[in-house]
């Protein structure tokens, strides 16, 4: 299955500057995805723990999926990173028997504090139970969290060099007038009453839209699909992180879509904060799903609010194709053939 937005130039992140940029004052963006993957890989591969149970070490980092960038917006550095990480560990007990397991981090993101990071340690399915798993969960998780904290520290210090901006007083006087005009233009644009403000302080013009579709199943079954990790993975055909409770977070489609369940009314309504990872940091749309019982079928009514105006069609098409149509095809909830 193609990724949502694949081939869309809006997904491409590269180093660029505004044509009117003066000393990187207005806009600079640097892609640090490859650098980040190398750093995360090196930091995790160095992890080794020992205890009464034996010793464990991370032997392979199989997947580091996501992206990272540093943005310089009007004199402020903004760090964006979104990663799903999978690694393998090997343990050896006191009598020399070896065991294998995995470590998964589904939500390494600028939106999450290190203390909120989910680090899931498990034993491979074909392995017998061992106290080494507890050793990894107790001591290994601490070292993984510290290693990823070091990655963020490196990102915000060493790699941001050259993007620190001069103060306004340090600019040449002959450049002050055009810069003032740029600032004024930005204020005028940002003051639009049709926009929502992200935590970057930039007003984003937004729109609302609605979609409707009918599914040949009960509201209970359709409701459950959106909150069950295995079912989400089934219709997206990709790894997903889904904490299906009020306040729980989700991350699907290789991290391209993520958010949080804000309100759940069983079998009737799901309210979520929903965003593409490419949207400005801190901005999310509100998506409301209403499940209407119509006897042998369910009408699903979607209401989306706070959608960036230039993303309306992309989001509509994505929900229809990667949610509605995919659910019908995977679970057989489409129209009956006469």
């Amino acid at each position: 299955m193609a990724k949502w937005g694949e081939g869309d130039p809006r997904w491409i992140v590269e180093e660029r500057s505004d044509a009117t940029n003066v000393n990187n004052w207005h806009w600079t963006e640097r892609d640090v995805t490859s650098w980040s993957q190398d750093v995360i890989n090196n930091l995790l591969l160095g992890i080794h723990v020992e205890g009464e149970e034996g010793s464990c070490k991370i032997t392979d980092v199989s997947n580091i999926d996501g992206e990272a960038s540093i943005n310089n917006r009007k004199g402020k550095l903004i760090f964006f990173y979104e990663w799903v990480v999978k690694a393998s560990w090997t343990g050896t007990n006191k009598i020399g028997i070896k065991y294998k397991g995995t470590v998964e981090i589904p939500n390494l993101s600028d939106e999450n504090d290190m203390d909120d990071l989910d680090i899931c340690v498990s034993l491979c399915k074909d392995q017998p139970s061992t106290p080494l798993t507890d050793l990894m969960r107790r001591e290994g998780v601490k070292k993984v969290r510290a290693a990823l904290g070091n990655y963020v520290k490196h990102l915000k210090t060493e790699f941001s060099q050259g993007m620190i901006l001069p103060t306004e007083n340090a600019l040449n006087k002959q450049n002050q007038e055009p810069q003032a005009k740029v600032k004024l233009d930005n204020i005028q644009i940002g003051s639009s009453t049709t926009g929502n403000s992200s935590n970057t302080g930039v007003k984003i013009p937004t729109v609302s839209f609605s979609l409707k579709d009918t599914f040949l199943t009960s509201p209970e079954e359709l409701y459950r699909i959106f909150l069950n990790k295995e079912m989400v993975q089934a219709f997206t055909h990709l790894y997903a992180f889904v904490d299906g409770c009020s306040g729980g977070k989700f991350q699907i489609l290789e991290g391209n879509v993520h958010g949080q369940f804000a309100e759940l009314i069983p079998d009737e309504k799901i309210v979520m904060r929903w965003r593409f990872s490419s949207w400005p940091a801190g901005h999310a749309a509100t998506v409301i799903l209403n499940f209407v019982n119509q006897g042998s079928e369910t009408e699903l009514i979607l209401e989306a609010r706070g959608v960036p105006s230039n993303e309306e069609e992309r989001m509509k098409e994505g929900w229809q194709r990667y949610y509605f149509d995919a659910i019908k095809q995977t679970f057989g909830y489409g129209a009956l053939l006469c």
Side-chain angles (χ1 to χ4, degrees):
M1 173 181 287
K3 295 179 184 177
W4 192 342
E6 186 173 348
D8 190 330
R10 286 171 294 181
W11 285 97
I12 299 174
V13 180
E14 59 187 83
E15 185 170 350
R16 61 182 184 271
S17 300
D18 188 278
T20 60
N21 205 356
V22 178
N23 292 329
N24 288 338
W25 176 254
H26 185 51
W27 172 273
T28 302
E29 180 172 323
R30 178 178 294 174
D31 182 3
V32 294
T33 298
S34 296
W35 176 88
S36 294
Q37 290 170 326
D38 290 340
V39 170
I40 293 172
N41 182 74
N42 292 335
L43 288 170
L44 292 181
L45 284 178
I47 291 177
H48 178 270
V49 295
E50 293 187 3
E52 295 180 354
E53 304 90 338
S55 62
C56 300
K57 62 180 179 180
I58 291 183
T59 54
D60 179 61
V61 182
S62 56
N63 284 295
I64 307 175
D65 295 326
E67 59 183 343
S69 63
I70 303 173
N71 299 294
N72 178 347
R73 300 183 183 182
K74 296 194 294 184
K76 180 180 179 181
L77 289 181
I78 301 169
F79 301 88
F80 170 81
Y81 53 94
E82 194 84 36
W83 296 107
V84 176
V85 182
K86 298 179 185 179
S88 301
W89 61 270
T90 299
T92 306
N93 66 13
K94 290 298 185 180
I95 60 174
I97 299 177
K98 293 185 180 295
Y99 298 83
K100 295 181 179 181
T102 60
V103 179
E104 296 188 12
I105 304 102
N107 63 338
L108 177 57
S109 165
D110 56 286
E111 295 188 343
N112 297 321
D113 294 330
M114 276 297 139
D115 291 339
D116 297 328
L117 201 61
D118 295 317
I119 303 173
C120 307
V121 175
S122 59
L123 195 65
C124 291
K125 292 182 179 179
D126 60 344
Q127 301 285 295
S129 179
T130 172
L132 292 172
T133 308
D134 294 330
L135 174 63
M136 275 297 292
R137 288 172 178 165
R138 186 178 67 250
E139 301 300 330
V141 163
K142 294 179 184 177
K143 292 201 172 185
V144 169
R145 196 182 305 277
L148 296 176
N150 283 335
Y151 155 67
V152 175
K153 180 180 178 181
H154 292 327
L155 179 67
K156 292 184 176 181
T157 54
E158 299 176 7
F159 204 77
S160 62
Q161 293 177 7
M163 295 188 71
I164 303 297
L165 306 180
T167 63
E168 185 173 2
N169 291 334
L171 297 174
N172 190 293
K173 288 184 179 181
Q174 69 186 46
N175 290 330
Q176 288 181 352
E177 184 176 349
Q179 284 185 43
K181 185 179 186 301
V182 170
K183 290 181 180 180
L184 179 60
D185 289 343
N186 286 338
I187 292 171
Q188 292 171 340
I189 294 172
S191 65
S192 169
T193 57
T194 62
N196 289 346
S197 178
S198 71
N199 66 5
T200 64
V202 179
K203 287 281 186 177
I204 302 172
T206 62
V207 297
S208 300
F209 69 82
S210 61
L211 294 174
K212 292 183 181 181
D213 211 332
T214 302
F215 298 78
L216 295 176
T217 187
S218 65
E220 294 82 2
E221 286 297 317
L222 188 57
Y223 174 92
R224 189 162 65 98
I225 286 174
F226 289 90
L227 304 179
N228 182 281
K229 173 182 175 179
E230 286 71 26
M231 289 183 166
V232 172
Q233 290 181 156
F235 75 77
T236 61
H237 304 286
L238 292 167
Y239 174 82
F241 173 80
V242 180
D243 183 7
C245 63
S246 183
K249 297 180 180 180
F250 60 87
Q251 188 173 57
I252 67 172
L253 297 170
E254 297 186 332
N256 291 326
V257 170
H258 60 95
Q260 186 172 26
F261 296 110
E263 180 185 1
L264 300 175
I265 300 178
D267 311 330
E268 294 182 12
K269 180 192 285 188
I270 295 174
V271 180
M272 63 182 87
R273 298 288 292 162
W274 188 103
R275 60 177 264 113
F276 281 121
S277 61
S278 56
W279 286 1
H283 184 82
T286 298
V287 173
I288 304 170
L289 301 177
N290 290 290
F291 301 80
V292 182
N293 191 343
Q294 295 190 335
S296 61
E297 58 190 26
T298 299
E299 183 179 45
L300 181 57
I301 303 172
L302 178 149
E303 299 176 41
R305 304 168 185 167
V307 180
S309 58
N310 62 334
E311 297 278 15
E312 179 183 4
E313 290 306 314
R314 176 186 178 212
M315 188 170 170
K316 278 183 180 178
E317 293 171 3
W319 265 92
Q320 185 65 53
R321 178 179 177 185
Y322 292 99
Y323 280 95
F324 294 177
D325 293 348
I327 287 172
K328 288 182 179 182
Q329 183 176 11
T330 302
F331 301 104
Y333 296 159
L336 292 174
L337 298 176
C338 298

